Amino acid sequence: ELQNFLETVENTPLSNQEESCKVMSDLEAELEQLRSALEEKGVELHHIIKEEQQRKEAELQKQLSEGKFALLSCEELLEFANQTLTITNEEEFLTAAKQIKERVTMAPAFRLTTRPAVSDNMSQFTVDFRAERAGLQRLHFLPVPRAPEIDVSNCVVRDNAITVAWRPLGEADGNSDGGSGPIERYEVEYRKTNHSSSLRVAGEACWEKICDIRETQVTISGLKFDSPFVVVRVRARNKAAAGEFSEPVAMETRAFTFGFDAVTAHAELKVHGDSVTWEPQGVKGHDPRLRAKDNKSRSATPSPNKTAVSRAGRDRFAGESYTVLGDQEMIGGSYYWELRPLADWKSFSVGVAYRASLGRFDQLGKGAGSWCLHASQWLQTSLAAKHNNRAKALDWPLPQRIGIYCDYDNGDLMFVDVDQLRLLHSFKTKFSQPLVPAFTVWCGGIAVATGLQVPSFMGKFIS
């Protein structure tokens, strides 16, 4: 832990420099946007004032033209009136006077107002940016959200899924953002570990991240629990800043994880991670009847009835026992795993056994120390439960996904068609020795899924 701490401290200056450059760049970008916004608003306001100025000038110009025309008309009318005063003939004078009256009535001056159409007042365009200026002076860095608090009481581990719930700090005071601006989303990180401590040990898995969470809880599903604990932490993020992570919480993942014990595998069984395939050595290996004849001709082949002793130091399974065992024992508690037959399979068995009870040539279900489900589509289709050399035929189609449940303390062993949620068969007994998962494969292969919790649907089968 101290070494990890020192490495973290040594790497912090470089990370600090990179983060400083990033936030400086973000600051310049934000300031440039402010400048652009101010320039755009200034251009817009200038344009509004200019339009109003042009409108008023056009109105005044029109009024000026009409006034000049009216003035010219009045001058012509006065000149005509002066000329009329020199007329001595009464009839001509009356005619001229009538014309003057008509012209005065129709004169443009009578249709004009002597007040300007617009004023020079532009006070409606007065601006006062004191509030905005004060707002700009208050500009500061965006507050970082406070670390949320994981609500352990509402966190659930079930069906190989983890539900993580949390509370934003400050929520109790009616301020869900904790005084740091609105929280837009959350980020959750998790990693598997063999320790309940939140500190990462060298060689353990790195953090895996889930982003853009809008609620205050998230469910992580489809996990393989191949470690006893999963550590989770969460942080809040507002517009651009992410806060510190919450205090990590270790959640226990009770699940059964095992692999194939390759040392026990029959020579014609090949272990590849979580799968086992049957790879016969020679043509005779394809037909069990030919293999049986060949075995009878070998005087050196030990008898299948040979008394079994401890498997410690024993060779792998041989003869017709195409068997491989799991590498983890079951002693107390409940266990669950699943099996899926691979393409072109012909026959397989799956179950549990006392490790010490199986001899090299013993087959699953033949003795008192092994229990299994046997499936075959060689020559004819069959499904049967086997124990102590007894078989019970099961009237059900061959499953594509089989769940195996073992409750060591209560002596329960169940086989379930997972896709149909159908109980295929259950054994009730009293286990007296450590058990191991056991498998037999002939022609084709199988794959197992481990690191699984006992699924909730098993509750309908468990009394």
Side-chain angles (χ1 to χ4, degrees), residues 6 14 114 135 137 231 254 296 310 334 363 413:
L6 293 176
L14 178 59
T114 57
Q137 291 171 345
V231 178
R254 297 177 182 176
K296 291 179 181 178
S310 172
S334 300
Q363 298 179 1
L413 178 64

Side-chain angles (χ1 to χ4, degrees), residues 8 16 38 46 85 94 102 104 117 147 184 190 198 219 285 304-305 315 333 380 387 403 411-412 434 439 460:
T8 301
N16 181 49
L38 284 173
H46 276 97
L85 291 176
L94 291 175
E102 290 176 353
V104 168
E184 295 186 352
Y190 68 95
S198 61
T219 297
N305 297 324
D315 294 332
Q380 63 180 7
H387 170 61
D412 292 323
F439 309 87
K460 64 184 294 187

Side-chain angles (χ1 to χ4, degrees), residues 142-149 166-186 216 235-239 241-244:
L142 189 67
V144 177
R146 298 168 64 187
E149 180 182 8
W166 58 88
R167 292 185 296 266
L169 285 186
E171 191 176 68
D173 302 326
N175 182 11
S176 61
D177 57 30
S180 59
I183 294 175
E184 295 186 352
R185 57 192 183 277
Y186 296 92
T216 55
R235 66 177 176 179
R237 179 181 285 276
N238 54 21
K239 178 178 178 292
E244 295 292 330

Side-chain angles (χ1 to χ4, degrees), residues 14 106 420:
L14 178 59
M106 300 299 297
Q420 301 298 323

Side-chain angles (χ1 to χ4, degrees), residues 38-272:
L38 284 173
E39 290 177 0
E40 290 176 4
K41 179 56 67 174
V43 170
E44 178 185 345
L45 296 178
H46 276 97
H47 182 68
I48 293 174
I49 296 174
K50 195 69 175 178
E51 282 187 338
E52 181 64 12
Q53 177 189 351
Q54 293 174 353
R55 185 189 70 81
K56 287 188 174 185
E57 289 178 352
E59 288 286 338
L60 292 172
Q61 186 63 41
K62 177 182 177 183
Q63 195 175 27
L64 183 62
S65 298
E66 291 175 349
K68 289 181 177 180
F69 178 74
L71 179 61
L72 179 61
S73 175
C74 289
E75 291 176 347
E76 291 177 352
L77 183 58
L78 286 174
E79 178 64 24
F80 180 73
N82 289 329
Q83 293 176 2
T84 302
L85 291 176
T86 61
I87 299 176
T88 57
N89 184 289
E90 181 178 358
E91 183 177 353
E92 290 179 357
F93 178 82
L94 291 175
T95 301
K98 185 177 180 180
Q99 291 178 353
I100 292 173
K101 180 181 179 182
E102 290 176 353
R103 290 180 63 178
V104 168
T105 303
M106 300 299 297
F110 284 95
R111 296 193 298 271
L112 290 179
T113 176
T114 57
R115 297 177 59 185
V118 294
S119 70
D120 58 356
N121 185 10
M122 299 285 279
S123 59
Q124 70 270 31
F125 299 108
T126 303
V127 295
D128 183 0
F129 292 146
R130 285 178 295 181
E132 288 75 10
R133 190 160 49 249
L136 287 173
Q137 291 171 345
R138 288 194 302 269
L139 288 180
H140 206 273
F141 299 110
L142 189 67
V144 177
R146 298 168 64 187
E149 180 182 8
I150 294 181
D151 184 4
V152 179
S153 61
N154 285 320
C155 293
V156 180
V157 181
R158 183 174 57 198
D159 292 337
N160 282 81
I162 293 177
T163 298
V164 185
W166 58 88
R167 292 185 296 266
L169 285 186
E171 191 176 68
D173 302 326
N175 182 11
S176 61
D177 57 30
S180 59
I183 294 175
E184 295 186 352
R185 57 192 183 277
Y186 296 92
E187 296 176 0
V188 169
E189 291 188 348
Y190 68 95
R191 62 177 176 83
K192 302 174 184 178
T193 177
N194 294 323
H195 309 277
S196 59
S197 170
S198 61
L199 294 176
R200 181 172 177 268
V201 179
E204 287 191 332
C206 298
W207 292 102
E208 297 187 58
K209 182 181 295 186
I210 301 177
C211 301
D212 294 327
I213 303 170
R214 306 292 174 171
E215 305 296 331
T216 55
Q217 74 171 40
V218 67
T219 297
I220 311 168
S221 57
L223 298 174
K224 180 179 180 179
F225 290 156
D226 49 6
S227 60
F229 298 94
V230 171
V231 178
V232 296
R233 62 183 186 181
V234 61
R235 66 177 176 179
R237 179 181 285 276
N238 54 21
K239 178 178 178 292
E244 295 292 330
F245 277 103
S246 65
E247 192 68 26
V249 172
M251 306 175 68
E252 188 174 6
T253 61
R254 297 177 182 176
F256 184 42
T257 302
F258 68 88
F260 293 109
D261 187 356
V263 175
T264 67
H266 190 285
E268 296 186 359
L269 294 183
K270 303 302 179 185
V271 175
H272 309 279

